[in-house]
Amino acid sequence: MVAELATRPQNIETLQNAGVMSLLRPLLLDVVPTIQQTAALALGRLANYNDDLAEAVVKGDILPQLVYSLAEQNRFYKKAAAFVLRAVAKHSPQLAQAIVDCGALDTLVICLEDFDPGVKESAAWALGYIARHNAELSQAVVDAGAVPLLVLCIQEPEIALKRIAASDLSDISKHSPELAQTVVDAGAIAHLAQMILNPDAKLKRQVLSALSQIAKHSVDLAEMVVEAEIFPVVLTCLKDKDEYVKKNASTLIREIAKHTPELSQLIVNAGGVAAVIDCIGSCKGNIRLPGIMMLGYVAAHSENLAMAVIISKGVPQLSACLSEEPEDHIKAATAWALAQIGRHTPEHARAVAVTNILPVLLSLYMSAESSEDLQVKVLPHDSKARRLFVTSGGLKKVQEIKAEPGSLLQEYINSINNCYPEEIVRYYSPGYSDTLLQRVDSYQPLTN
């Protein structure tokens, strides 16, 4: 009854006030196995609800009992006990540390070798919730010997077990190059790479995420991911029906592209830039963000790579994002990517300017709603960017705007003009050429 009631949030407080925790604890040792399991399930549901209840499980000295039972009891109880540990660990690093301190890791790792896939899965969930918080907790999971067993779990036939094992490898890899290296050393990359084409979308999300978390840290790790021949296979994920598969595939490509011109060139050669541009066109919002950033990273490396983005029609797609996306952080990333494309030569700058993007950038720069980050991205304190603003006609456009003296718009125009020498601003002001011509007319040459 208590386990059943604990499934509904509105009952939790009443149960807590009724002192249900202290009633459940002795039932973990009951002679009837179903009572033990159901008591553990009830505790897990309560602890899952909020950190106060999870804290109560720790303070009630329930954890040592669960850990003991994990090693001794049947598979149903093991699953229930692992569920309580996961429910406590998820809330905070401190609560996860309490799980580690009571000696749970060794027992959870032993459960990864259980013959029952459900027990393996429950143990993997608990380990993942511990590892995701920080590098120290992740290291504790690694030291307990979890990684090689998780690599075996991703090779099991059960899809749910594969998913959570891949997710754990991602959570362990994300914190540091050293932790990612332990995952690589256990042979994870080859098995993850083989699952990129698995029909299960949730598994693909986790696989792509794990490969990104490995590749992001260093050139060496990124090269190891590439050597597992993920190209061009991974590009099919950019067309996936599942939005998060698309996002995670773009993120993986971005994490590889950012490191070196050579890795970016490899992606270009595989058709990766065109595929990412198509992907950006087929989705909206945050799903677009890693793809937008990937184009910026590729273009930043060299003139040729920036030209590859231009040739693949990246600029019109980015300018569409700039106009369509309501969120400032996406607009800022897009403006940054366009700057990386346009900053190399006048030819690159022209490719950006011809899409008529400058008035859009300008209106964003002058919009009171735009965040400072976005304004800074649009006209950075960078001589190349200032030059681009002039050569592509941006500064001239600013001078043509009729603003009320003292208005916010006038302030923005002044702050743009302050980035340039006075004579440059005068040169681009309307009517300046007429003034010059009048000076020619009235000029009296000196005669000998």
Side-chain angles (χ1 to χ4, degrees), residues 93 127-142 167-183 210 212-214 216-217 221:
L127 290 165
Y129 273 115
I130 294 166
R132 69 178 51 173
H133 290 293
N134 59 40
E136 291 72 36
L137 286 162
S138 240
Q139 190 63 54
V141 170
V142 169
S167 168
D168 285 7
L169 294 171
S170 177
D171 281 329
I172 291 167
S173 302
K174 73 182 178 187
H175 301 291
S176 72
E178 294 73 26
L179 284 161
Q181 190 66 52
T182 60
V183 171
S212 316
Q213 299 292 10
I214 293 168
K216 76 178 185 185
H217 294 289
L221 287 165

Side-chain angles (χ1 to χ4, degrees), residues 8 67 117 190 327 344 350:
R8 286 186 289 283
V67 173
E327 300 265 352
H344 295 283
R350 198 171 305 114

Side-chain angles (χ1 to χ4, degrees), residues 188-197 204 207-216 219-238 248-257 259 263 266-267 269-272 275 294:
I189 291 178
H191 297 294
L192 288 166
Q194 280 164 1
M195 293 192 288
I196 289 174
L197 290 181
K204 273 193 286 202
V207 164
L208 293 164
S209 167
L211 290 168
S212 316
Q213 299 292 10
I214 293 168
K216 76 178 185 185
V219 178
D220 290 350
L221 287 165
E223 284 175 348
M224 283 172 151
V225 171
V226 169
E227 280 159 17
E229 295 179 1
I230 62 164
F231 289 104
V233 180
V234 75
L235 303 181
T236 57
C237 296
L238 294 170
N248 292 3
S250 302
T251 305
L252 171 55
I253 299 167
R254 176 191 76 191
E255 297 298 11
I256 293 167
H259 290 294
L263 284 167
L266 184 142
I267 293 168
N269 297 350
M294 176 267 186

Side-chain angles (χ1 to χ4, degrees), residues 87 163 220 227 246 337 344 390 418 429:
R163 282 180 198 154
D220 290 350
E227 280 159 17
K246 283 184 182 177
H344 295 283
V390 174
N418 287 341
S429 299

Side-chain angles (χ1 to χ4, degrees), residues 126-360:
L127 290 165
Y129 273 115
I130 294 166
R132 69 178 51 173
H133 290 293
N134 59 40
E136 291 72 36
L137 286 162
S138 240
Q139 190 63 54
V141 170
V142 169
D143 294 343
V147 174
L149 295 171
L150 289 167
V151 173
L152 287 173
C153 287
I154 58 175
Q155 300 167 64
E156 294 283 350
E158 292 78 18
I159 208 85
L161 181 55
K162 283 179 185 286
R163 282 180 198 154
I164 184 59
S167 168
D168 285 7
L169 294 171
S170 177
D171 281 329
I172 291 167
S173 302
K174 73 182 178 187
H175 301 291
S176 72
E178 294 73 26
L179 284 161
Q181 190 66 52
T182 60
V183 171
V184 172
D185 293 343
I189 291 178
H191 297 294
L192 288 166
Q194 280 164 1
M195 293 192 288
I196 289 174
L197 290 181
N198 191 290
D200 182 77
K202 285 182 178 162
L203 176 58
K204 273 193 286 202
R205 288 179 194 176
Q206 302 300 350
V207 164
L208 293 164
S209 167
L211 290 168
S212 316
Q213 299 292 10
I214 293 168
K216 76 178 185 185
H217 294 289
S218 69
V219 178
D220 290 350
L221 287 165
E223 284 175 348
M224 283 172 151
V225 171
V226 169
E227 280 159 17
E229 295 179 1
I230 62 164
F231 289 104
V233 180
V234 75
L235 303 181
T236 57
C237 296
L238 294 170
K239 295 190 173 74
D240 203 273
K241 291 192 293 289
D242 185 278
E243 296 280 76
Y244 288 97
V245 169
K246 283 184 182 177
K247 185 180 183 185
N248 292 3
S250 302
T251 305
L252 171 55
I253 299 167
R254 176 191 76 191
E255 297 298 11
I256 293 167
K258 73 180 185 186
H259 290 294
T260 64
E262 292 73 24
L263 284 167
S264 276
Q265 189 63 56
L266 184 142
I267 293 168
V268 170
N269 297 350
V273 167
V276 168
I277 292 166
D278 286 349
C279 176
I280 295 171
S282 72
C283 52
K284 294 275 176 282
N286 275 326
I287 310 290
R288 281 176 155 174
L289 192 56
I292 291 169
M293 292 177 70
M294 176 267 186
L295 295 178
Y297 281 128
V298 170
H301 285 304
S302 73
E303 285 180 23
N304 289 347
L305 286 163
M307 197 44 82
V309 177
I310 292 169
I311 289 164
S312 301
K313 308 211 172 14
V315 177
Q317 189 54 70
L318 287 169
S319 46
C321 293
L322 204 58
S323 307
E324 293 165 10
E325 288 299 333
E327 300 265 352
D328 263 8
H329 68 281
I330 301 176
K331 288 187 196 294
T334 310
W336 169 80
L338 285 162
Q340 302 312 314
I341 297 166
R343 70 189 175 88
H344 295 283
T345 67
E347 197 183 346
H348 289 77
R350 198 171 305 114
V352 174
V354 293
T355 57
N356 213 16
I357 196 73
L358 292 159
V360 180

